[in-house]
Amino acid sequence: MTEYFEVHGRDGAARLGELRLADSLTTPALADDHVEDAGSLWAADRELPEGREDRVTILPHRAFPSGTDEEVEDAFSVSQPDVDYPSAAVVSPTTAENHGVDAYVLSTAQGNVGHASALRDEILEIRETIPADTALYLSGVATPRNAALLAYAGVDLLDSHKAVVKGTQGKYLTSDGEQFLEDLEELPCACPACRRSIKEFTREDCAEHNENALRAELATVRERIRAGRLRDYVEGQARHAPWLTSLFREFDDEWSYVEERTPIHRTSEISATSDDTLRRVEIQRFADRVTSRYRNRFDNPLVLVPCSATKPYSESQSHGQFHDAIQYRAHLVSMTSPIGVVPQELETTYPAQHYDTAVTGRWTETEIAFVARVLRRYLDRNDYPRIIAHLPEDYREIIERVEPHIETEIEYTVEDHPTTTDSIANLMRTLDGELKYGKRERQHNTVKAIADYQFGEGAGEELFPDLSIQSRYPKFRAHTTEGEQLAAMVPQYGTLALTLAGARRWLDSDVPTKRVEIDGFVPHGNVLAPGILDADPAIRTGDEVVVEGPKAFAVGRAEMFGREMTESTRGVAVDVRHVEER
């Protein structure tokens, strides 16, 4: 196996990689100047090329178009030689397997452009078959309009063939579509090819512009991946053609593929600008964990309140007023689109403090249905002696959809707006006679709730049966009552970072532990993929993991998902926080 491609960064299925040639290439990128095709075996027999260090050599091949019978593909399949230079193999979903090359060229892609489900199936099938740390190359399909979505789907290499051909046909391409040259009044671009009048602009210039536009689009994609914001961009790009919208939504429906590759947390903000945001893995994962792992530990009434623009909510002016009125006599849960419901203990947990949404005072039907569904599931799981809705009028339909399905009567306290003097006074009076919960209970419930959310149902009690909190919120440190530190709260993500003692408790508990098995060495700083013998397939990027080997016991944060760790031959797999030599 050669080692000329390495993934350095990830944003869901999209990757920021490096093709290590004489002049390295950062992907996703155009492969035009970095590829040499050894030729098709359909036309004639080919000698195995000597290869070059400045090119990826596409090995002699037989390409099969989409729809070729599987028996035909088997009969004419090509055995890939083992070479020691940068190489690629031409494959179809049927013939794809680990051929020991750096890149795989999908031969059937051109036939499925415009057919969303067919292209989705082929990308999924080949991505699940080839090694995780190899590049996927789709030739003859890229335009400035579709490049971002192809990268989002997991494609690493493209070429300018289609864009150039369209240019020679007099079709002027932009990131949102294409126009015939004769329909343009002026050139909407400032690339070198477009620095002339429309009257002087030729089809050769158009081809050059199209390639420039495609390169610029891929540069934008790479920057979006670096920032962890590609999804936000693709939600807009997918609107520019119906088949792209279909392809985008087809991938949203492929939960296992996208979820496996989506990190547990990021530092970047989610821009909630359309109903498609509700389909994001991060949003669905949060809603699922809140309604299947989280358990309310307070005996007090529930107060439902609206979210705030300021994150975390408790730092906002409106929530400050709510807290002053409640005075720790009730459990506060925020309702919001696109997140759903956010218990106060999880207000810093990604993505609850990492999103921004358009506020119009009007909810879409999709938003209402989603938040109502999450709220109903939350109330089915958590019992409260009373439920108080301190919510504005535009939240009312959500409550009305849930109300018939619960036994507890909902009390309403808002007049006009939640922060008016009368509304705040109503909330205070409604809670008259309720007992306060203490600081210790509040701190303990927060750490245990995060543990449930992060590690699994019941983790709070399993990991922290004897708990003492040090430091201030949101930087709690969880200790045993005897003073041994077990974990620390990470305020940027609202998660827990375990110590070695905490990791041992995790191993000894009934909560499923995410393990990474390594070879006989002691890691210092990072565990690289080649040193990993096995990894739990449930591991996601950003997860806490326990690292075990003959010579070491460690705890850290996953930098790859589990299957990627075991398949990869290079790259950082685990960022080790604490290690103990055995």
Side-chain angles (χ1 to χ4, degrees):
M1 175 177 286
T2 54
E3 298 186 359
Y4 292 93
F5 181 73
E6 180 175 348
V7 179
H8 293 301
R10 298 160 182 82
D11 187 1
R15 296 105 59 83
L16 200 68
E18 180 187 5
L19 199 55
R20 291 177 170 169
L21 306 174
D23 294 319
S24 66
L25 177 68
T26 301
T27 63
L30 295 183
D32 303 59
D33 300 329
H34 304 271
V35 168
E36 188 168 89
D37 191 348
S40 171
L41 293 170
W42 289 119
D45 290 336
R46 306 282 180 174
E47 294 291 331
L48 185 64
E50 294 182 1
R52 295 170 55 173
E53 293 299 311
D54 63 344
R55 295 285 189 276
V56 174
T57 299
I58 299 178
L59 299 172
H61 53 83
R62 288 194 183 96
F64 298 100
S66 181
T68 302
D69 189 274
E70 190 171 333
E71 291 184 3
V72 174
E73 292 194 51
D74 288 341
F76 291 96
S77 63
V78 177
S79 297
Q80 301 296 338
D82 185 14
V83 297
D84 59 0
Y85 48 78
S87 60
V90 176
V91 296
S92 70
T94 301
T95 61
E97 59 181 85
N98 185 354
H99 292 299
V101 294
D102 302 287
Y104 292 81
V105 186
L106 180 57
S107 67
T108 54
Q110 291 186 47
N112 287 316
V113 169
H115 303 282
S117 60
L119 185 58
R120 173 210 61 193
D121 289 346
E122 293 201 336
I123 292 176
L124 291 178
E125 191 170 347
I126 194 168
R127 262 278 162 242
E128 295 295 326
T129 304
I130 64 177
D133 61 345
T134 53
L136 176 58
Y137 179 9
L138 267 59
S139 178
V141 302
T143 66
R145 180 166 55 179
N146 67 25
L149 185 51
L150 292 174
Y152 174 79
V155 178
D156 304 289
L157 293 169
L158 299 163
D159 56 39
S160 63
H161 296 172
K162 184 172 185 175
V164 169
V165 169
K166 283 182 174 287
T168 62
Q169 296 169 342
K171 295 177 181 178
Y172 187 93
L173 305 185
T174 62
S175 61
D176 62 356
E178 65 179 56
Q179 292 176 274
F180 286 103
L181 278 181
E182 54 264 32
D183 295 334
L184 290 175
E185 296 285 337
E186 58 183 290
L187 299 173
C189 175
C191 77
C194 296
R195 292 174 188 167
R196 65 200 71 205
S197 71
I198 186 67
K199 293 180 180 180
E200 299 172 326
F201 196 76
T202 66
R203 291 192 174 194
E204 289 73 20
D205 296 326
C206 189
E208 182 183 345
H209 155 78
N210 288 353
E211 183 174 350
N212 290 341
L214 183 51
R215 290 186 186 278
E217 181 68 6
L218 286 168
T220 297
V221 168
R222 291 192 295 272
E223 282 301 299
R224 284 282 178 163
I225 295 173
R226 291 184 182 102
R229 299 289 300 272
L230 182 59
R231 167 71 187 222
D232 296 340
Y233 184 67
V234 168
E235 283 190 17
Q237 281 300 100
R239 294 292 187 276
H240 295 314
W243 87 270
L244 290 177
T245 305
S246 297
L247 181 61
F248 172 60
R249 292 176 176 169
E250 292 282 0
F251 273 97
D252 269 357
D253 289 338
E254 293 298 326
W255 172 262
S256 60
Y257 176 78
V258 182
E259 191 278 331
E260 182 180 38
R261 291 161 172 80
T262 301
I264 296 300
H265 50 67
R266 329 167 182 253
T267 56
S268 58
E269 181 181 85
I270 292 173
S271 294
T273 56
S274 74
D275 283 349
D276 281 321
T277 304
L278 297 171
R279 297 158 61 90
R280 288 182 67 141
V281 165
E282 300 96 320
I283 301 301
Q284 295 291 331
R285 182 190 278 152
F286 186 89
D288 177 69
R289 291 189 178 192
V290 165
T291 55
S292 65
R293 294 184 178 189
Y294 170 85
R295 179 174 63 81
N296 169 48
R297 292 175 169 84
F298 294 96
D299 296 325
N300 305 70
L302 165 66
V303 174
L304 296 169
V305 297
C307 65
S308 65
T310 301
K311 314 291 189 306
Y313 305 136
S314 60
E315 295 182 5
S316 70
Q317 184 175 357
S318 61
H319 278 241
Q321 292 177 270
F322 302 154
H323 282 290
D324 289 343
I326 292 171
Q327 288 292 308
Y328 305 112
R329 294 175 293 171
H331 180 222
L332 197 69
V333 172
S334 300
M335 290 175 55
T336 178
S337 175
I339 306 295
V341 299
V342 183
Q344 62 185 9
E345 307 97 300
L346 300 179
E347 68 164 3
T348 64
T349 302
Y350 182 86
Q353 68 164 334
H354 301 82
Y355 75 97
D356 191 16
T357 187
V359 179
T360 64
R362 298 181 301 276
W363 293 62
T364 69
E365 170 57 30
T366 306
E367 289 177 306
I368 293 170
F370 172 73
V371 178
R373 184 167 62 251
V374 175
L375 178 59
R376 182 180 173 184
R377 289 175 59 193
Y378 178 87
L379 293 176
D380 284 344
R381 179 174 171 81
N382 295 285
D383 293 324
Y384 288 94
R386 298 170 64 193
I387 299 175
I388 299 163
H390 191 73
L391 297 163
E393 183 63 29
D394 52 306
Y395 285 70
R396 190 66 178 254
E397 186 173 350
I398 298 170
I399 302 300
E400 289 175 348
R401 292 194 184 189
V402 174
E403 207 164 7
H405 303 284
I406 59 176
E407 296 181 0
T408 306
E409 182 180 354
I410 296 179
E411 305 168 55
Y412 297 90
T413 53
V414 169
E415 295 183 22
D416 188 35
H417 191 272
T419 58
T420 63
T421 301
D422 288 344
S423 295
I424 294 296
N426 286 343
L427 180 58
M428 293 176 68
R429 283 194 299 271
T430 302
L431 291 171
D432 282 347
E434 297 290 347
L435 299 177
K436 293 184 178 181
Y437 52 81
K439 177 180 178 181
R440 181 176 178 275
E441 182 180 2
R442 190 167 69 248
Q443 292 175 335
H444 287 204
N445 287 356
T446 296
V447 169
K448 290 180 179 181
I450 293 173
D452 287 346
Y453 178 93
Q454 185 174 352
F455 299 108
E457 185 178 11
E461 268 64 40
E462 288 277 343
L463 301 184
F464 306 108
D466 54 333
L467 182 58
S468 174
I469 301 296
Q470 296 186 18
S471 192
R472 300 179 63 183
Y473 180 83
K475 297 181 180 180
F476 287 158
R477 295 196 304 272
H479 293 248
T480 67
T481 52
E482 296 178 351
E484 184 178 34
Q485 185 174 348
L486 301 174
M489 185 175 168
V490 183
Q492 296 95 322
Y493 311 123
T495 55
L496 298 174
L498 298 176
T499 64
L500 289 173
R504 290 191 184 91
R505 282 212 177 180
W506 191 16
L507 278 173
D508 294 339
S509 74
D510 292 330
V511 180
T513 308
K514 294 182 178 179
R515 290 183 172 90
V516 175
E517 182 185 350
I518 62 172
D519 213 338
F521 64 95
V522 179
H524 296 287
N526 294 320
V527 174
L528 301 180
I532 291 178
L533 302 178
D534 196 14
D536 188 335
I539 292 171
R540 301 293 178 260
T541 303
D543 267 333
E544 286 289 291
V545 294
V546 172
V547 180
E548 295 182 286
K551 295 185 177 181
F553 177 79
V555 64
R557 185 177 63 197
E559 297 293 331
M560 298 178 176
F561 59 90
R563 187 168 58 82
E564 187 179 25
M565 290 183 183
T566 58
E567 292 182 5
S568 297
T569 58
R570 46 206 169 271
V572 176
V574 180
D575 180 11
V576 173
R577 184 183 310 112
H578 305 291
V579 63
E580 179 180 85
E581 189 170 356
R582 285 175 165 168

